[in-house]
């Protein structure tokens, strides 16, 4: 078994990955990697608490200005014990609703009515798969499949022309095309766009979601003062399109508020499932959450899902779920940014995607 990368190396790697999207966070990553005292402070917390996004969110909460490359060093070293305490207690789920573009077609494989348990839900922005208009821009020369089935059902229309597939899951608003990378089509729906290749699922019926449960150690109530500011602490300052989409999703999520269960996995999964009403199909959803769960607890969560016989839809970093990784084609390279995450249902890989679900390669037909 390979050991976890040293903290400094981890931040060097992160600077390389994020540099094009966020020069400010790349500069912070280099500042951390280059400061022996800061690295020593971070080494006082478990590896799952050293995630750059979590560290940066805590630093911003404590007043660090991302525009200042040295601000993160200053805030950590100003009160190392206090920073360790904040970091140890912090939880972070970026709650990027764009990731739904990668998992949305998988809901067509679940018989309804559906009850969602959103693990690491934060504010629940990824718990609204029935409030989305998804436009897939299809890479030329690839197939549009029918594995998801149910094409032509209520509320679903195919996109105009062979280069686009449109999937409308919201019955609450029209299917307007929106503008920019993402926009709202009204109070009941948000618009997501992504590039899709491979064996792309066909349009499908809107999932019949009858209940939502958010399971999170520190769930965010969107109606609380400052809630949205807390939600976007981990989002790079340059990612204004992500912030805009999150704001639109927050507006939609307020119309279908979940039952909030304070806790985490694996310990509180059964309690969260018990909050669903009788007669629905439970679907556990994890979206970039399990990387923050220590390895032994992560496996215990997976074992619990199997033991309980509930459905499980996931978009998690490629390679951290060994059973899922075993179902990937050998040609998938976990180091490839386009395969940063694996999209799966019930432990079976169905697609790979970039970190935020803006590009999705669906697997099948030998791909």
């Amino acid at each position: 078994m390979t050991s976890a990368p040293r903290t400094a190396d981890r931040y060097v790697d992160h600077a390389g990955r994020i540099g094009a999207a966020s020069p400010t966070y790349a500069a912070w990553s280099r500042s951390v990697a280059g400061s022996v005292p800061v690295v020593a402070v971070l080494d006082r917390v478990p590896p799952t608490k050293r995630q750059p996004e979590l560290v940066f969110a805590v630093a911003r909460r404590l007043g660090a200005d991302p525009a200042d490359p040295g601000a993160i060093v200053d805030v950590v070293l100003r009160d190392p014990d206090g920073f360790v305490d904040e970091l140890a207690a912090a939880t972070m789920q970026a709650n990027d609703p764009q990731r739904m573009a990668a998992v949305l077609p998988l809901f067509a494989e679940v018989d309804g009515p559906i009850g969602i348990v959103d693990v690491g839900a934060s504010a629940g922005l990824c718990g609204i798969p029935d409030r989305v208009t998804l436009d897939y821009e299809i890479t030329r020369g690839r197939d549009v499949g029918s594995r998801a089935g149910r094409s032509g059902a209520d509320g679903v229309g195919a996109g105009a022309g062979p280069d686009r597939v449109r999937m409308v899951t919201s019955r609450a608003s029209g299917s307007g095309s929106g503008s920019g990378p993402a926009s709202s089509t009204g109070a009941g729906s948000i618009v997501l766009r992504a590039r899709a290749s491979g064996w792309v699922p066909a349009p499908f019926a809107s999932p019949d979601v009858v209940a939502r449960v958010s399971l999170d150690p520190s769930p965010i109530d969107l109606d609380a003062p400052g809630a949205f500011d807390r939600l976007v602490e981990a989002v790079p300052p340059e990612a204004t399109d992500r912030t805009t989409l999150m704001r639109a999703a927050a507006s939609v999520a307020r119309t279908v508020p979940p039952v909030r269960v304070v806790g985490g996995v694996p310990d509180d999964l059964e309690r969260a499932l018990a909050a669903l009403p009788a007669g629905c199909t439970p679907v556990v959803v994890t979206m970039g959450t399990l990387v923050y769960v220590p390895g032994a607890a992560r496996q215990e969560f997976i074992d619990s899902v199997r033991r309980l016989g509930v459905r499980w839809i996931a978009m998690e970093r490629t390679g951290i779920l060994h059973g899922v990784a075993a179902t990937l084609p050998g040609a998938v390279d976990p180091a490839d940014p386009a395969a940063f995450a694996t999209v799966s249902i019930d432990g079976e890989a169905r697609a790979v995607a970039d970190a935020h679900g803006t590009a999705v390669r669906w697997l099948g037909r030998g791909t």
Side-chain angles (χ1 to χ4, degrees), residues 10-358:
R10 187 176 191 171
Y11 278 79
V12 169
D13 291 345
H14 188 259
R17 288 197 306 270
I18 203 171
S22 177
T24 58
Y25 271 12
W28 266 14
S29 294
R30 290 190 294 269
S31 293
V32 169
S35 173
V36 173
V38 169
V39 169
V41 172
L42 297 186
D43 281 342
R44 292 166 56 185
V45 300
T48 54
K49 294 291 187 176
R50 299 176 209 158
Q51 293 282 344
E53 294 85 354
L54 181 62
V55 172
F56 295 167
V58 170
R60 290 177 68 173
R61 195 176 308 163
L62 295 176
D65 180 1
D68 178 1
I72 190 164
V73 173
D74 293 341
V75 78
V76 172
L77 298 184
R78 182 174 62 217
D79 181 7
D81 292 341
F83 194 87
V84 166
D85 290 344
E86 286 281 346
L87 192 55
T91 60
M92 196 282 293
Q93 164 66 351
N95 220 197
D96 191 338
Q98 175 64 35
R99 290 175 174 167
M100 283 190 292
V103 304
L104 197 63
L106 298 184
F107 283 91
E109 300 189 32
V110 181
D111 292 328
I114 292 172
I116 292 175
V117 172
D118 187 0
V119 176
S122 189
L125 304 192
C126 292
I128 51 173
D130 54 336
R131 297 291 190 272
V132 172
T133 295
L134 170 61
D135 278 338
Y136 270 165
E137 178 186 342
I138 307 300
T139 301
R140 289 182 181 275
R142 296 289 186 170
D143 295 312
V144 176
S146 59
R147 177 167 54 196
R150 307 183 190 184
S151 177
D154 290 345
V156 178
D163 295 331
R164 188 180 72 169
V165 170
R166 167 162 287 187
M167 308 179 190
V168 183
T169 72
S170 177
R171 298 186 177 99
S173 67
S175 60
S177 61
S179 61
S183 63
S184 173
T185 58
S189 180
I190 58 171
V191 174
L192 305 177
R193 291 186 174 86
R195 301 183 305 279
S197 61
W199 190 237
V200 180
F204 53 88
S206 175
D208 182 16
V209 179
V210 297
R212 299 164 222 270
V213 173
S214 293
L215 176 61
D216 195 282
S218 184
I220 293 177
D221 179 354
L222 287 167
D223 291 324
F228 189 78
D229 291 338
R230 177 187 167 196
L231 190 62
V232 297
E233 283 174 337
V235 179
E238 296 91 344
T240 55
D241 56 339
R242 288 175 60 191
T243 303
T244 298
L245 176 58
M246 290 171 73
R247 194 177 300 278
S251 177
V252 173
R254 285 190 181 96
T255 69
V256 283
V259 174
R260 297 185 186 91
V261 175
V262 177
V265 294
D267 295 346
D268 301 296
L269 178 61
E270 291 191 55
R271 186 161 58 91
L273 288 165
L276 293 173
C280 67
T281 301
V283 180
V284 176
V285 178
T286 65
M287 305 279 282
T289 302
L290 298 180
V291 71
Y292 299 102
V293 178
R298 190 184 304 151
Q299 185 58 51
E300 188 178 341
F301 159 76
I302 296 169
D303 293 342
S304 295
V305 167
R306 290 172 177 162
R307 173 176 55 82
L308 295 167
V310 297
R311 307 302 300 270
W312 173 32
I313 290 176
M315 179 184 174
E316 298 289 346
R317 184 161 184 171
T318 297
I320 70 164
L321 305 176
H322 301 303
V324 174
T327 69
L328 283 168
V332 172
D333 180 5
D336 181 358
F340 179 89
T342 297
V343 178
S344 64
I345 182 167
D346 301 333
E348 179 185 350
R350 292 296 177 82
V352 291
D354 63 1
H356 300 294
T358 60

